[in-house]
Amino acid sequence: MAKPLTAPGTTMGTTSGSSLKKLVYIPIKRWLLLHLRLDTSYFKKQSDRIWLDKQLFPRLSNIKAGRILFVGCAFYTWESLKYFSKGVDLVTVDIDENNVIWGGKQHLVASILDIDKHVEASSFDIVLLNGVFGHGVNTPDMQAQTYKALHTILKPDGLLLVGWNSDISEDPMELETRKELFYRTEYEGLPQRTSFKDSTHVIDFLRKKV
């Protein structure tokens, strides 16, 4: 559970509810929604989602320690959380309090624009920012503010994944703020940029400049 800041690596701010709610009510509701109401089959067939499941997440599953921020929670992202080792300090965040149900054990209801006000500076090894630019964080100014906040919370040379859609967002790699704060990189044999023939989705890897 996210707690007030007391030591390096902790989160601060609003928590996602009582222990009873987290241990009983939310898991039951989530199971009922996934098995009786919501259908994830459409998303599982998308090329970008297949890439995440077959290429990225298996690589991330090899990480046995460290701290990862998973940004944006929905019913079709819930299964992705299973890839992370129990030794990893995984924190999920979403601005919509209704999406607490799709977050992890440590979940924050907060805007990514000011995430640096909710977690400690230089405390994350990896940030996964997929499907946020163009879906809430739309303008260049908002994206630049996000880059600044994430630069603050990432450790030196920390990894940032940015997933975005070319039909609804200008290329966020071209922002001067990005160039000032992050350099482009490959990750574990995956290229700096991956695009998909049947999708407008694009995935870029960056690392924090010190």
Side-chain angles (χ1 to χ4, degrees):
M1 181 187 300
K3 299 178 180 179
L5 180 64
T6 56
T10 59
T11 54
M12 50 186 169
T14 304
T15 66
S16 56
S18 67
S19 297
L20 181 62
K21 182 178 180 180
K22 288 175 67 68
L23 292 174
V24 180
Y25 173 74
I26 287 180
I28 291 175
K29 181 179 180 181
R30 183 168 52 233
W31 188 94
L32 291 172
L33 286 172
L34 288 173
H35 289 82
L36 301 179
R37 184 176 178 182
L38 299 174
D39 184 4
T40 61
S41 60
Y42 168 81
F43 298 96
K44 290 179 178 179
K45 295 176 183 177
Q46 302 307 302
S47 57
D48 54 321
R49 183 59 53 180
I50 292 173
W51 182 89
L52 290 170
D53 289 340
K54 300 296 184 181
Q55 299 295 329
L56 179 64
F57 290 135
R59 286 169 166 81
L60 293 176
S61 69
N62 291 326
I63 299 174
K64 303 306 179 184
R67 201 167 194 228
I68 298 177
L69 182 67
F70 188 105
V71 186
C73 302
F75 70 94
Y76 52 85
T77 68
W78 165 248
E79 290 188 359
S80 301
L81 304 185
K82 70 184 179 183
Y83 288 99
F84 298 95
S85 168
K86 292 182 179 179
V88 169
D89 185 11
L90 179 67
V91 180
T92 58
V93 60
D94 196 286
I95 194 171
D96 187 347
E97 63 181 9
N98 292 318
N99 288 333
V100 168
I101 190 173
W102 308 117
K105 292 181 178 180
Q106 294 189 81
H107 182 78
L108 287 170
V109 179
S111 170
I112 198 62
L113 294 173
D114 61 357
I115 189 63
D116 53 324
K117 294 181 174 61
H118 298 271
V119 299
E120 189 184 48
S122 302
S123 63
F124 282 91
D125 300 280
I126 298 174
V127 173
L128 303 175
L129 183 79
N130 188 35
V132 178
F133 284 2
H135 294 278
V137 180
N138 303 331
T139 68
D141 285 346
M142 295 173 72
Q143 293 172 1
Q145 184 177 342
T146 299
Y147 278 133
K148 292 176 182 177
L150 295 180
H151 185 270
T152 297
I153 70 169
L154 276 165
K155 296 177 181 179
D157 213 38
L159 183 74
L160 170 60
L161 175 146
V162 179
W164 57 284
N165 291 82
S166 60
D167 59 332
I168 57 177
S169 175
E170 297 294 327
D171 190 341
M173 298 300 107
E174 296 304 314
L175 289 175
E176 288 303 316
T177 303
R178 192 287 298 170
K179 296 176 183 179
E180 292 171 2
L181 300 180
F182 294 91
Y183 66 91
R184 304 184 72 172
T185 186
E186 298 178 352
Y187 176 68
E188 295 293 326
L190 299 175
Q192 293 181 12
R193 167 167 288 185
T194 299
S195 56
F196 307 90
K197 291 182 179 179
D198 59 348
S199 171
T200 64
H201 204 64
V202 180
I203 294 176
D204 290 295
F205 289 111
L206 303 170
R207 285 196 183 275
K208 173 181 174 175
K209 290 183 178 180
V210 180

